[in-house]
């Protein structure tokens, strides 16, 4: 059984109503856990979304796993963070085929409570609880009680923010990944012109995502006179191994674009508490990301460069940070401390 805890003494604060089911659903993977007490996550499993016709099927498959079955009986409360806007009862995923009614899913699974929230709203709620599970890139220092910014590239591009609200926080329900992409140099203009061949509207997500890494590669390989296509994991592998100059240029372009997007978010939100980078791509880049143009591009805002130089940027290093956020949201829903 896989487990981790953000609490020094999870046994003393066990949930009175029994273990809670938590899930973080992306376009590629569905991550599940049982929370036996505040911040104590057990039976963590990652399932492939493609393997299950519906989200209900994936939930049932998780609860039936040998590592889960013995501790999953009688679950009353559940919370799901999902990579999609959540504006009512009906949810239809943007980057996957799952669609469902929240109330119908609650009844089908037999839960008393089923809370469904946007995944980056949940991830945003985790930011004050990350502790040492973050790595600062560049300079700056956080201003207390100031907004925080969040964006992360994976199957798509998630964007959110965390706004101080008295003694608590409010997470923004943002779909900022779908804003129009704006190039800042000739290379990015060429990438955008290439992308226009495939998409009438090129959003930031079209380039700052796994599929975006592949699109940038196609654009730059053609620009180099050697048209080619590669899968994103192979592009990253070749770049990090020093085997391919075009692949390295792809990662550099990706990191620079992300830096510009992060700087835009910092200015838009006044995120003087810091901007956090999540998602599945950046944490895997390690030192290559630190050495990239990300931070330079983050600060490259003309008259606001000095302002942004004071704003810290962090890479989230926690393996399952969304569980922290969705747990906090569910606890508030249930009126727990």
């Amino acid at each position: 059984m896989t487990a981790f805890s953000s609490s020094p003494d999870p046994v003393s604060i066990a949930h009175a109503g029994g273990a809670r089911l938590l899930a973080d659903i992306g376009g590629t993977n569905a991550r599940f856990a049982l929370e036996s007490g505040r911040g104590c996550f057990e039976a963590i499993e990652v399932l492939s979304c493609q393997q299950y016709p519906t989200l209900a099927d994936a939930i049932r498959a998780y609860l039936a796993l040998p590592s889960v079955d013995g501790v999953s009986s009688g679950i009353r409360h559940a919370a799901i963070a999902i990579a999609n806007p959540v504006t009512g009862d009906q949810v239809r995923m943007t980057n996957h085929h799952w669609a469902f009614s929240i109330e119908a899913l609650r009844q089908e699974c037999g839960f008393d409570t089923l809370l469904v929230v946007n995944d980056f709203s949940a991830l945003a709620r985790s930011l004050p609880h990350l502790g040492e599970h973050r790595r600062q890139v560049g300079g700056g220092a956080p201003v207390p009680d100031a907004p925080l910014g969040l964006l992360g590239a994976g199957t798509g591009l998630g964007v959110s923010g965390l706004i101080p609200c008295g003694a608590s926080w409010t997470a923004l329900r943002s779909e900022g990944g779908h804003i129009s992409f704006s190039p800042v140099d000739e290379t990015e203009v060429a990438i955008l012109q290439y992308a226009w061949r495939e998409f009438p509207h090129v959003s930031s997500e079209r380039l700052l995502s796994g599929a975006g890494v592949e699109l940038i590669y196609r654009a730059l390989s053609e620009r180099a006179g050697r048209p080619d296509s590669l899968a994103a994991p192979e592009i990253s592998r070749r770049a990090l191994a020093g085997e391919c100059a075009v692949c390295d240029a792809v990662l550099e372009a990706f990191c620079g674009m992300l830096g510009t997007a992060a700087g835009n978010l910092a200015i838009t939100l006044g995120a003087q508490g810091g901007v956090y980078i999540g998602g599945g791509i950046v944490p895997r880049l390690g030192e290559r990301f630190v050495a990239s143009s990300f931070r330079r591009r983050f600060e490259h805002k003309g008259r606001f460069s000095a302002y942004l130089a004071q704003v810290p940027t962090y890479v989230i290093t926690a393996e399952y940070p969304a569980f922290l956020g969705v747990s906090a949201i569910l606890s508030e829903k249930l009126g727990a401390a």
Side-chain angles (χ1 to χ4, degrees):
M1 178 181 294
T2 305
F4 79 90
S5 176
S6 63
S7 168
D9 186 15
V11 175
S12 65
I13 48 176
H15 294 313
R20 300 171 181 177
L21 174 67
L22 305 179
D24 176 19
I25 310 296
T28 303
N29 293 313
R31 302 165 184 85
F32 293 97
L34 297 180
E35 186 184 28
S36 57
R38 190 175 64 199
C40 185
F41 308 108
E42 303 176 335
I44 297 171
E45 300 287 348
V46 181
L47 306 183
S48 170
C49 295
Q50 292 292 345
Q51 298 298 313
Y52 303 95
T54 69
L55 175 54
D57 290 325
I59 292 173
R60 282 190 290 266
Y62 168 73
L63 294 176
L65 289 172
S67 59
V68 179
D69 186 54
V71 290
S72 66
S73 60
I75 290 178
R76 297 171 50 205
H77 307 298
I80 295 171
I82 193 164
N84 208 72
V86 181
T87 57
D89 179 67
Q90 296 293 325
V91 178
R92 182 176 298 275
M93 294 184 69
T94 303
N95 291 316
H96 189 58
H97 68 266
W98 285 348
F100 59 93
S101 155
I102 298 173
E103 176 58 20
L105 182 63
R106 182 193 69 79
Q107 294 183 24
E108 183 176 356
C109 295
F111 301 137
D112 291 349
T113 306
L114 174 60
L115 186 66
V116 180
V117 299
N118 173 266
D119 63 334
F120 265 70
S121 294
L123 186 56
R125 286 298 308 271
S126 78
L127 300 183
H129 308 289
L130 289 176
E132 63 184 17
H133 298 294
R134 64 180 188 176
R135 179 181 185 181
Q136 185 166 353
V137 177
V143 174
D145 301 319
L148 310 178
L150 169 67
L151 72 169
T155 304
L157 176 65
V159 176
S160 185
L162 202 60
I163 310 301
C165 184
S168 187
W169 298 88
T170 296
L172 300 180
R173 299 177 181 179
S174 172
E175 289 298 326
H178 298 284
I179 63 171
S180 300
F181 172 73
S182 298
V184 300
D185 57 31
E186 291 184 359
T187 297
E188 292 183 7
V189 169
I191 293 170
L192 177 59
Q193 289 174 331
Y194 182 93
W196 272 333
R197 300 183 201 173
E198 299 183 17
F199 307 104
H201 173 247
V202 178
S203 65
S204 292
E205 179 174 276
R206 291 295 189 189
L207 298 169
L208 294 174
S209 60
V213 169
E214 296 169 1
L215 177 57
I216 296 170
Y217 177 81
R218 295 196 299 275
L220 293 186
S221 63
E222 181 179 278
R223 194 173 190 230
R226 299 185 298 276
D228 192 16
S229 62
L230 279 177
E234 182 61 13
I235 294 168
S236 295
R237 188 198 69 76
R238 292 186 187 186
L240 296 177
E243 297 177 1
C244 174
V246 173
C247 291
D248 187 70
V250 169
L251 287 194
E252 188 60 30
F254 172 90
C255 293
M257 292 173 184
L258 190 64
T260 292
N264 289 343
L265 183 63
I267 289 176
T268 300
L269 296 182
Q272 293 181 300
V275 175
Y276 289 74
I277 308 299
I281 296 177
V282 170
R284 296 190 178 100
L285 299 182
E287 292 298 326
R288 180 65 184 85
F289 184 74
V290 176
S292 76
S293 61
F294 167 81
R295 181 67 195 192
R296 176 178 61 80
R297 288 278 295 272
F298 176 82
E299 297 181 17
H300 185 61
K301 285 290 189 291
R303 291 173 294 169
F304 264 69
S305 293
Y307 175 93
L308 286 173
Q310 303 304 312
V311 177
T313 48
Y314 305 96
V315 175
I316 298 171
T317 58
E319 192 171 7
Y320 303 105
F323 290 152
L324 291 168
V326 78
S327 167
I329 295 170
L330 179 59
S331 290
E332 289 180 1
K333 174 74 173 180
L334 296 174

